Amino acid sequence: PGHRRYADAMRPMNVACVRYLNTAPLVHGLESVRGLTVEPAAPSHIAGMLIAGRADLGLASIVDAVRGPLPMVVLPVGMIGCAGPTLTVRVHSDRPFEQITALNADTDSHTSVALAQVILRERVAAAPQIIDYDAREGVARQPDAPEPHAMLLIGDKVVTDPPDAERFPHALDLGEAWHDMTGLPFVYAAWMCRAEDWENAERRRELESAAAMLERQRLHNATRLGGIIAEVAPRHRWPVDLAAQYVGSLLRYDLDAEARRGAEAFIARAAALELLPPGPLRFAGAEAPV
């Protein structure tokens, strides 16, 4: 209800998004929204889908708004973020964090890799070598990579298939560490589109209509969150009570002014450390459906 007048006026729009438990408040039910075609993908693949034209909008890692070959515009219609512990973005280490010299980094996320580097450098003056790590298979991408002494893991697997706590006794929740350092929320991912499309008047109307549908779905899902969690948590092998705390209390989904300040602060800190090109992040203005 309420979507049809948007869908009738636009061509079908391809939306790329992640299928972790944490995206359910944003994407649950989108398959039934007229005018949208939903393509699931790993977070690190979504920016490439936007660049290649395989998606019109994507729930992409926030760093991909500034570091890709094409400029992106962030739409203020939902995010994956936090203002404290994230639970599913963690560094696990067999030694104190200041002694980390190499970090096997989960290739599913671009933002979390940059966040880990910012926190380790600013908190304990550690600048480890980053080794691409296929966390699903438990293998490094480089064939000669040493056995990991520290790992950055993201997503459901942090909870459903955690590292051995005896082997990796040191754990750092990156959302909590960021909030402790800055007092600001952290934004892992947000809906975005190609800037060149946003600057085209006809395409912008289509994107505004699609973004309005995404926002309506997010707000609708917020009214039935308990039922959504009860439905999707078992699929992801989460205990329902823990999933309810994670999605309902720990995470944030509204890309409000405070969250934007957090995102801008992160991009600026990462750029100062030469982990990212200098920003700025470009947010859609007041003409976007917010």
Side-chain angles (χ1 to χ4, degrees):
H3 295 311
R4 180 168 296 177
R5 66 179 180 275
Y6 295 102
D8 287 344
M10 61 187 280
R11 66 175 181 83
M13 301 288 278
N14 292 324
V15 174
C17 61
V18 183
R19 288 299 194 187
Y20 295 148
L21 173 68
N22 61 17
T23 63
L26 299 180
V27 307
H28 191 274
L30 286 182
E31 295 89 347
S32 62
V33 175
R34 246 179 98 188
L36 296 183
T37 300
V38 179
E39 284 198 56
S44 56
H45 296 168
I46 292 175
M49 295 170 70
L50 288 169
I51 291 166
R54 290 176 49 206
D56 300 293
L57 297 108
L59 185 61
S61 293
I62 197 70
V63 298
D64 292 330
V66 298
R67 75 173 195 172
L70 290 180
M72 298 287 170
V73 171
V74 178
L75 305 175
V77 292
M79 69 169 191
I80 304 292
C82 65
T86 308
L87 192 60
T88 54
V89 182
R90 289 189 169 187
V91 171
H92 299 266
S93 177
D94 66 6
R95 62 200 64 188
F97 300 115
E98 63 270 17
Q99 298 176 18
I100 295 176
T101 57
L103 181 66
N104 280 33
D106 195 331
T107 54
D108 275 358
S109 172
H110 294 154
T111 295
S112 298
V113 176
L115 176 60
Q117 291 174 282
V118 168
I119 289 172
L120 288 172
R121 289 194 192 187
E122 294 197 9
R123 183 164 168 165
V124 296
Q129 175 192 3
I130 301 299
I131 299 171
D132 288 345
Y133 183 66
D134 187 335
R136 298 175 194 277
E137 300 297 328
V139 294
R141 293 287 177 87
Q142 294 95 319
D144 58 346
E147 190 73 12
H149 66 253
M151 296 187 296
L152 165 65
L153 299 179
I154 74 150
D156 295 331
K157 55 186 167 293
V158 180
V159 170
T160 60
D161 190 21
D164 183 349
E166 290 189 6
R167 183 182 170 196
F168 297 99
H170 302 275
L172 181 66
D173 185 299
L174 296 189
E176 183 174 25
W178 170 261
H179 193 261
D180 288 346
M181 280 171 41
T182 67
L184 292 168
F186 191 79
V187 179
Y188 290 98
W191 292 109
M192 61 186 73
C193 65
R194 293 179 296 271
E196 63 187 39
D197 289 343
W198 189 252
E199 291 158 2
N200 177 287
E202 181 178 352
R203 289 289 286 140
R204 181 183 291 204
R205 285 193 294 271
E206 295 176 335
L207 290 164
E208 287 177 335
S209 295
M213 287 191 280
L214 294 174
E215 181 70 345
R216 285 173 177 266
Q217 192 66 36
R218 180 181 76 85
L219 295 174
H220 176 56
N221 287 346
T223 68
R224 59 194 186 107
L225 194 55
I228 291 174
I229 293 169
E231 176 189 338
V232 303
R235 296 182 201 162
H236 294 274
R237 299 191 292 125
W238 278 70
V240 173
D241 56 347
L242 182 59
Q245 178 191 13
Y246 172 59
V247 173
S249 299
L250 296 182
L251 297 185
R252 289 191 174 189
Y253 294 95
D254 183 10
L255 188 54
D256 58 15
E258 187 183 22
R260 294 188 208 189
R261 285 194 295 273
E264 289 169 339
F266 166 64
I267 296 297
R269 286 182 182 227
L273 295 172
E274 299 184 341
L275 301 171
L276 295 175
L281 277 173
R282 182 177 175 186
F283 293 96
E287 72 278 2
V290 296

